[in-house]
């Protein structure tokens, strides 16, 4: 009985291996004829790319009537697009040798290259990563420079930083402006007992006081 059971299991496993080999052979035959394979067509990336592109195009067109709509949609769909690019690249690398599919299948962008071209691409990416690591702190300081420039544009006249000697020669400086919080003060009709208060050498008060 044990021999019959073991032979039956071996037969089942053999049939599964044969069916799997047949599936792989069909994919290779489709790829050799220049088709993209059934596997690439069934994946939902094409539908998602079409939806994202349509949403971006529609928001760009309607931005004329609704100001700021395109930037708002871009802030929402930007992380989704980045995730889709990463997912498409993973699919491209895993199934590319079998299906010869494109990186972005909707627009037929970047077909699967030859093994030599892929090796060159990986080598170049590795070299670029090494260069970025060497200059990481300098690249990271770009965001700090942008933030400091934004502060100068917002709080300094003409966006020019001033020295303390300029403050000394100006009779209106230093003009200190402080903010505080008033607790347990409520006018008739107010709901919250907390309000802001502003203090300066000229005026002290707030909307409530």
């Amino acid at each position: 009985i044990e021999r019959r059971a073991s032979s039956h299991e071996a037969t089942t496993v053999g049939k599964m291996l044969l069916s799997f080999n047949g599936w792989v052979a069909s994919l290779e035959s489709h790829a050799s004829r220049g088709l993209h394979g059934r596997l690439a067509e069934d994946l939902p990336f094409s539908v998602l790319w079409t939806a994202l592109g349509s949403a971006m195009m529609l928001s760009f067109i309607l931005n004329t009537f609704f100001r700021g709509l395109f930037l708002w949609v871009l802030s929402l769909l930007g992380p989704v697009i980045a995730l889709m690019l990463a997912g498409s690249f993973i699919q491209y690398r895993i199934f590319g040798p079998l299906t010869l599919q494109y990186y972005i299948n909707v627009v037929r962008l970047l077909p699967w290259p030859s093994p030599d071209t892929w090796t060159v691409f990986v080598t170049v990416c590795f070299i670029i990563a090494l260069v970025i690591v060497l200059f990481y702190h300098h690249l990271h300081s770009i965001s700090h420079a942008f933030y400091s420039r934004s502060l100068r544009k917002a709080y300094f006249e003409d966006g020019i930083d001033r020295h303390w000697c300029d403050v000394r020669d100006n009779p209106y400086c230093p003009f200190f402006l402080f903010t505080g919080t008033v607790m347990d003060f409520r006018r008739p009709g107010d709901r919250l007992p907390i309000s802001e208060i502003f203090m300066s050498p000229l005026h002290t008060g707030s909307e409530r006081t």
Side-chain angles (χ1 to χ4, degrees):
I1 296 175
E2 293 179 355
R3 291 180 180 177
R4 291 181 179 177
S6 60
S7 62
H8 178 70
E9 292 176 356
T11 304
T12 304
V13 173
K15 290 180 179 179
M16 293 175 61
L17 291 176
L18 288 175
S19 61
F20 178 76
N21 290 333
W23 178 73
V24 173
S26 64
L27 284 178
E28 292 179 349
S29 63
H30 285 299
S32 63
R33 291 197 300 268
L35 300 178
H36 302 287
R38 181 78 182 194
L39 184 60
E41 295 176 356
D42 293 339
L43 294 176
F45 284 101
S46 300
V47 178
L48 293 176
W49 275 119
T50 305
L52 290 175
S54 301
M56 295 293 294
M57 185 64 66
L58 183 62
S59 63
F60 182 77
I61 295 174
L62 295 179
N63 190 67
T64 307
F65 306 99
F66 305 96
R67 187 175 182 180
L69 178 63
F70 178 74
L71 294 178
W72 181 75
V73 173
L74 183 62
S75 64
L76 293 179
L77 298 183
V80 179
I81 293 175
L83 181 62
M84 288 292 300
L85 289 174
S88 297
F89 185 79
I90 294 173
Q91 174 187 337
Y92 177 71
R93 179 62 187 91
I94 294 176
F95 300 109
L98 292 177
T99 61
L100 297 182
Q101 66 185 66
Y102 292 87
Y103 174 47
I104 299 179
N105 198 28
V106 178
V107 293
R108 299 293 191 266
L109 179 64
L110 295 178
W112 179 254
S114 62
D116 296 335
T117 305
W118 179 258
T119 302
V120 173
F121 171 74
V122 173
T123 305
V124 171
C125 290
F126 181 72
I127 295 174
I128 293 175
L130 289 179
V131 174
I132 290 176
V133 169
L134 293 176
F135 297 96
Y136 174 76
H137 295 287
H138 299 281
L139 296 175
H140 184 68
S141 63
I142 295 177
S143 59
H144 175 71
F146 174 76
Y147 182 65
S148 61
R149 177 183 177 275
S150 300
L151 291 178
R152 288 197 307 270
K153 289 290 186 179
Y155 295 102
F156 290 92
E157 184 180 4
D158 297 330
I160 302 175
D161 195 358
R162 304 296 178 179
H163 300 283
W164 283 109
C165 59
D166 300 331
V167 176
R168 181 188 60 188
D169 298 334
N170 194 326
Y172 297 99
C173 292
F175 184 78
F176 296 102
L177 180 62
F178 301 96
T179 60
T181 303
V182 177
M183 306 290 293
D184 298 331
F185 174 77
R186 184 185 301 180
R187 299 175 301 181
D190 291 339
R191 295 183 178 181
L192 298 176
I194 301 175
S195 61
E196 288 184 324
I197 188 171
F198 304 93
M199 294 161 283
S200 70
L202 299 180
H203 305 283
T204 301
S206 65
E207 294 182 356
R208 287 190 176 186
T209 60

